[in-house]
Amino acid sequence: MLSPAALVASFVAATALLVSDSVHAAPLAVDADGCRSSTTTVSSSVAAVSTAAYLASTSTASLAAASSGTYTAVLSSVSTATYAGTATASSTASVSACAATTASAVPIASSITPEYLSFTGSTGVNYVATTQAGARYSVEFDCTSAAPLGSSPALLTVIAAPSNCSTDISSMLASFAAEDDVWTTDFLANTLLWPNACGTAWLTEAASALKTLGHSSIYSLSSASVESATALSVSTSDSLSIASGPFVYVPSATEAKLRLAPVYRVYADPYYAFTTGLFPRGVAVANLSEQLYVQAAVGTPDGEAMSAVGVPVPSRLYFVGKASAALPLAGLRLAMKDIYDVAGVRTGCGNRAYYALYSAPTASSFVVERLLAAGAVLVGKTKTSQFANGESPTADWVDQLCPFNPRGEGYQSPSSSSSGSAASMAAYDWLDFAVGSDTGGSIRGPAGVQGLFGIRPSQDAVSLDGVMPLAASMDTSGYFARTPELFRLIGEALYANSTVVSSTGSEQDQATTLLVPYDLWSSYYNSSGAFISTTAAGLAFNSFITSLASHLGATIDRTSFASKWTSAALSNSTLSSYLNVTYPVIIGKYQYDNLATPFISDYKNKTGGLTPFIDPVPLVRWAWAVAQGETVYEDNLSRKQVFSDFLSNTVFPASSTQCSSSLLLYVQSSGSTSYRNAYLSTPSIPSGFSAGRIANLGQVPEVVVPISQVTYNSTISAGSVEGLPVAISILARKGCDLALLKLVEDLKASGIVTSVKTGAAAF
C-alpha cells in the first residue's frame, strides 16, 4: 500500500484547469496552436490565495494568484521531494469528524476550493478529479458534521458489495485492475465499504479481508459498526446502489457532507488526433443537450507526447452493470469531430479564426445529445480538415497539424476529413468509438486507410442540428469502431427512431445478390468475371467476396455499373459525364452560401474589415463553385436526384421480404502507400465520378469493413517491412443501415471478419 508520505509527494493541486469563454476577452486573440489560450482568468473566489508555508516548501510550485489576475500554471509543477517532506494542510477551520480516525490524507492548501484537482500517481500517471458538488459521477452523502474524513483531500477506493455478496476482496481488486485503466493501488490508501443489500455480515467479512491484505484505513458507509472498519455516520438508504471505483475525498469546512469526487485518468495524444480533452462542467443536468463541458487544459505525463493535449477519461468501474436497453452505450468513451457543437466548448471546424470568432454554444448538437442519452461518455473533440473539405497532410492543413495515421510506420496519410476521429480510434485502445461526418467520403476514406469499421448512413438518418454544414443534401453523421459488435450497438442507438432507417431491416431476409461490377473492380476481375489479380490485396478481396456469397447464399452479378445506367435510359450521357461535376458544384456552392458568407461577414464586422485566413482547399472549391452560377447548381441537384432514383429502382430494387435484395461491393482500400511527406498537386476541385460517389450522390448507406493487411517496404523507416489495411465497402438500399450492421456482426460470428487492434498493425 502506498504510504501517506508517498501519496503526499504525488499529489498536485491545480485551480486553473478550466478554459472558458472568459479566457477569450479579445475573441480573436488566440495562441499559436489556434485552439485555446494557456492563460486563464481566475475569479476572485479562487484568487488571492495565502499559502506562504506551502509555497515556501516547494521549489517550483506556482499556486499564487492575484484577484482578477492570470493563472498560468495550468498544471503546477511541484517538487515532490520537498513537498513530501514539509508540506502540510493549511486549513484553520475548526471541524469535527464523524469518524474516529482521520483518513490517510494527501494535503493541499485547503483554502483553495477549485472545481478540479490534479495529481500524479506513483507510476507517473496524471489524474484529475472533478470536485464540485453535484458533478457528474460524483457521490455525496449528508453527514452529522463537516469534514467526516478530515480537512485534507484523500485518495480512496469504494468497494461495493457485488450482487452475490462475495467477500473475495482479492479477486475484486484484481478485477478492478484488469477491467479499469484508471484505478490503481494508489487508491487503496483508504477504502470505503458499501454493503448494498448484503448487510452487516458482508461488511464484517470484507473489512477483515482488507485488514488481512494489509490495509488499515478502512471505513464503512453504514450506520452499523463492524470490526476493522470505522463507521461513517452518513444519511442514506442501505438500498442505494453505489458503484465501486476510485474517488477523491473532498473536504468542506462549511457543509456537513461526505463528498466523493470522480477520478479521470489523463491520456496523452501522441498522434495529434484531438483538439482538446473534455470534462463535464458544473452540476450534472437532466437535459443532456445542456450539460456544459469545458476544455481540459491539463498536461500529459512527461515523455509521452509532444502534444500538450490531455484527454481525461473516467473510471470504467463507475459504469459496471449500468448497461441496459435504455443505456446501451453506458460508460463507452466517445470522441466527437470538431464540427459538432458541444455545450460550453467552442466549435473550431479546423479554422483558427472561426474558433476565435464565435462563442461557445449553450446546447450540444442532436447527435451528441442522442449518444449521451444512450450512456456514452464524451471525452474529447477531434481534428477535422478545414470545414470538412478533403485535404492532404503535407501542405493543405495550414491551421492545424494533420493527425497521424498510426498504421505502418506512422507516416501514411490518415485521409480526411474525419481524420482525428479515425486516428484516435486506430491509435488508442482507451477510446471506444469516435464520431465523424461523411459528405463525400470523410468516414469511408479514413476507415479504409486506418483499418476501422466505419459507416456512412442513409441520407437524413439522424438530425444534424448543431453540426457545421458542407452540403445539406449529402451531409451525414457516421462513426468508427474496432469491433463488429460495438459497430452494430452504436448504430442501433444513434439511428434509433429514425424516419429513414428501417427499424426492422435487420430482421428481414438477407440480400441474395452481390453486385461486383467489373468496371469498379477492373484491377481484379475482367469483363467476363475472371479473377486476374496476383496481389495480396486482390487475393484478400476475392476470398472475402467468395465467403460473403457463401454466407448469404447469394449469386454474384458482375455486370458493369455503367451499363446498368445506360440500360435505364435516364440520360443520353454516360454516367461519368452526367455526374462529372455534381459533387463539387453542390458542396462548393452550398458551403459558400451557408457557412463562408456569414463567417467572413461576421469576421469583418468584428475586426474592422479584415478577412479571416482560410485554407487553400476550401477557397479553391468555393470560388470555382460560385463561378458556375445558380442555374448549374440547381441542375446538378436535379441530376443527383435522378441518380438517387436510379439506385432505388434499378440497383437496389424494393422487396417485400428483404430490406435490400442486393448489396454493392467495391474496393475501399488496397493497402497502397500515401506518404504524408509527399508533396502533391495544388488544390483543385473534386470532379469526376467513381465508386466512392455512389453512396453520397445516391443517399444510400455504406459500411467499410477491414478484411486484411498487406506488407510494404517503408521509405520512411528504411529497410523495415510494414503493414497497411485492406478494406472493402458494402452498400445497400436506402434505410437498410441496421441490416448492414447486423451483417457485419454476423460475418464475425462466422469467422469471415475479425475485430481490429490499435497501433501499427490492424491485425
Side-chain angles (χ1 to χ4, degrees):
M1 181 177 67
L2 206 64
S3 68
L7 283 172
V8 169
S10 69
F11 201 97
V12 181
T15 62
L17 289 171
L18 304 181
V19 181
S20 64
D21 284 341
S22 64
V23 177
H24 303 279
L28 301 180
V30 298
D31 60 359
D33 69 6
C35 291
R36 61 195 168 281
S37 173
S38 59
T39 301
T40 303
T41 301
V42 179
S43 65
S44 58
S45 63
V46 295
V49 177
S50 176
T51 55
Y54 173 83
L55 293 174
S57 69
T58 61
S59 60
T60 57
S62 180
L63 287 174
S67 179
S68 300
T70 58
Y71 190 110
T72 56
V74 174
L75 257 182
S76 303
S77 176
V78 177
S79 172
T80 55
T82 56
Y83 186 39
T86 60
T88 59
S90 60
S91 174
T92 59
S94 176
V95 297
S96 60
C98 295
T101 306
T102 299
S104 297
V106 183
I108 65 165
S110 59
S111 56
I112 301 176
T113 57
E115 288 186 67
Y116 304 94
L117 295 177
S118 71
F119 58 96
T120 302
S122 62
T123 59
V125 173
N126 282 1
Y127 297 93
V128 174
T130 55
T131 58
Q132 181 171 340
R136 193 164 294 278
Y137 317 128
S138 65
V139 178
E140 189 171 294
F141 303 98
D142 290 330
C143 189
T144 56
S145 64
L149 290 179
S151 59
S152 297
L155 307 187
L156 56 86
T157 294
V158 170
I159 301 178
S163 58
N164 64 359
C165 297
S166 169
T167 55
D168 187 352
I169 300 299
S170 292
S171 294
M172 292 178 67
L173 297 180
S175 70
F176 290 176
E179 297 171 9
D180 189 28
D181 53 348
V182 178
W183 184 88
T184 68
T185 54
D186 287 358
F187 293 93
L188 288 175
N190 304 280
T191 53
L192 274 69
L193 299 174
W194 177 248
N196 283 320
C198 294
T200 304
W202 182 87
L203 284 174
T204 301
E205 292 187 38
S208 176
L210 280 168
K211 185 175 182 180
T212 300
L213 292 172
H215 303 291
S216 57
S217 297
I218 306 169
Y219 302 88
S220 65
L221 291 172
S222 174
S223 58
S225 297
V226 297
E227 187 178 352
S228 303
T230 302
L232 300 181
S233 300
V234 296
S235 301
T236 185
S237 167
D238 286 346
S239 63
L240 180 67
S241 178
I242 301 175
S244 296
F247 291 89
V248 170
Y249 161 68
V250 182
S252 171
T254 58
E255 294 182 293
K257 300 283 187 182
L258 173 63
R259 183 178 303 151
L260 306 182
V263 176
Y264 296 73
R265 176 175 178 170
V266 181
Y267 275 104
D269 178 28
Y271 290 91
Y272 293 79
F274 285 83
T275 61
T276 185
L278 295 175
F279 289 111
R281 182 178 187 179
V283 177
V285 296
N287 185 349
L288 292 173
S289 70
E290 297 176 359
Q291 174 66 62
L292 294 177
Y293 283 80
V294 64
Q295 289 176 276
V298 294
T300 57
D302 290 343
E304 285 198 16
M306 292 172 64
S307 169
V309 172
V311 183
V313 300
S315 170
R316 294 193 185 277
L317 299 178
Y318 302 155
F319 310 98
V320 172
K322 296 296 193 298
S324 65
L327 296 171
L329 308 181
L332 296 181
R333 298 165 182 170
L334 159 69
M336 296 295 302
K337 184 177 182 178
D338 190 25
I339 65 171
Y340 290 83
D341 283 349
V342 172
V345 180
R346 295 179 184 229
T347 304
C349 306
N351 182 278
R352 297 169 72 230
Y354 188 96
Y355 176 91
L357 177 63
Y358 295 113
S359 59
T362 57
S364 293
S365 69
F366 178 86
V367 171
V368 171
E369 180 188 6
R370 169 65 62 85
L371 294 170
L372 294 180
V377 178
L378 180 59
V379 301
K381 297 189 81 174
T382 57
K383 291 179 182 176
T384 173
S385 53
Q386 196 165 99
F387 300 123
N389 285 267
E391 294 185 316
S392 298
T394 305
D396 293 343
W397 289 67
V398 180
D399 265 359
Q400 298 181 115
L401 177 63
C402 176
F404 286 81
N405 177 352
R407 305 308 190 188
E409 79 290 279
Y411 281 88
Q412 299 298 314
S413 170
S415 190
S416 62
S417 65
S418 303
S419 313
S421 290
S424 66
M425 281 299 294
Y428 307 135
D429 58 8
W430 46 262
L431 186 67
D432 297 312
F433 71 109
V435 170
S437 65
D438 191 306
T439 304
S442 295
I443 287 283
R444 294 165 290 163
V449 301
Q450 300 195 57
L452 298 166
F453 296 93
I455 182 171
R456 176 207 160 84
S458 296
Q459 193 65 42
D460 303 318
V462 65
S463 169
L464 295 181
D465 287 349
V467 185
M468 181 221 76
L470 179 52
S473 63
M474 290 184 282
D475 291 344
T476 62
S477 178
Y479 56 89
F480 303 96
R482 290 187 297 268
T483 72
E485 297 87 353
L486 189 52
F487 192 42
R488 179 184 180 185
L489 187 68
I490 298 163
E492 290 177 335
L494 180 56
Y495 308 129
N497 304 315
S498 171
T499 58
V500 172
V501 176
S502 171
S503 61
T504 60
S506 60
E507 301 168 8
Q508 293 178 277
D509 293 342
Q510 295 182 318
T512 49
T513 301
L514 294 185
L515 304 177
V516 188
Y518 73 82
D519 54 343
L520 303 185
W521 289 85
S522 58
S523 295
Y524 305 96
Y525 301 98
N526 63 21
S527 59
S528 300
F531 181 60
I532 58 174
S533 175
T534 58
T535 66
L539 293 171
F541 287 131
N542 192 55
S543 174
F544 176 84
I545 293 169
T546 302
S547 297
L548 177 59
S550 176
H551 173 82
L552 295 173
T555 59
I556 299 176
D557 180 355
R558 301 190 189 277
T559 305
S560 75
F561 196 76
S563 67
K564 287 182 181 291
W565 168 263
T566 301
S567 298
L570 299 172
S571 170
N572 291 327
S573 300
T574 63
L575 187 57
S576 295
S577 175
Y578 186 75
L579 297 175
N580 183 47
V581 296
T582 300
Y583 179 73
V585 164
I586 293 175
I587 64 165
K589 181 69 164 58
Y590 187 91
Q591 191 171 61
Y592 180 79
D593 289 346
N594 293 277
L595 182 138
T597 297
F599 165 47
I600 294 170
S601 176
D602 291 346
Y603 191 92
K604 286 183 174 181
N605 290 337
K606 185 73 175 182
T607 62
L610 298 178
T611 301
F613 174 83
I614 296 167
D615 279 358
V617 169
L619 280 179
V620 167
R621 293 181 175 190
W622 295 343
W624 179 86
V626 170
Q628 306 310 301
E630 188 70 26
T631 300
V632 173
Y633 175 72
E634 294 295 335
D635 175 62
N636 277 279
L637 283 176
S638 297
R639 291 176 182 232
K640 178 182 176 297
Q641 186 59 52
V642 169
F643 180 71
S644 179
D645 292 341
F646 161 69
L647 291 187
S648 296
N649 297 328
T650 304
V651 180
F652 304 112
S655 167
S656 60
T657 60
Q658 300 163 291
C659 187
S660 186
S661 60
S662 57
L663 301 175
L664 174 67
L665 280 61
Y666 76 90
V667 174
Q668 183 54 241
S669 174
S670 60
S672 58
T673 58
S674 178
Y675 292 100
R676 65 181 289 141
N677 65 337
Y679 284 89
L680 306 177
S681 59
T682 56
S684 59
I685 63 168
S687 59
F689 177 81
S690 66
R693 291 280 178 257
I694 296 173
N696 48 284
L697 294 178
Q699 306 187 58
V700 300
E702 177 178 333
V703 294
V704 176
V705 181
I707 60 173
S708 185
Q709 64 188 19
V710 295
T711 58
Y712 69 103
N713 294 310
S714 173
T715 63
I716 301 295
S717 50
S720 69
V721 177
E722 309 287 351
L724 290 177
V726 174
I728 197 167
S729 273
I730 308 175
L731 290 73
R733 183 179 173 83
K734 184 177 181 180
C736 296
D737 309 57
L738 300 185
L740 279 177
L741 295 173
K742 181 179 183 299
L743 172 63
V744 174
E745 185 180 45
D746 289 346
L747 292 179
K748 182 183 180 183
S750 297
I752 298 173
V753 302
T754 64
S755 299
V756 296
K757 302 184 298 183
T758 57
F763 298 96

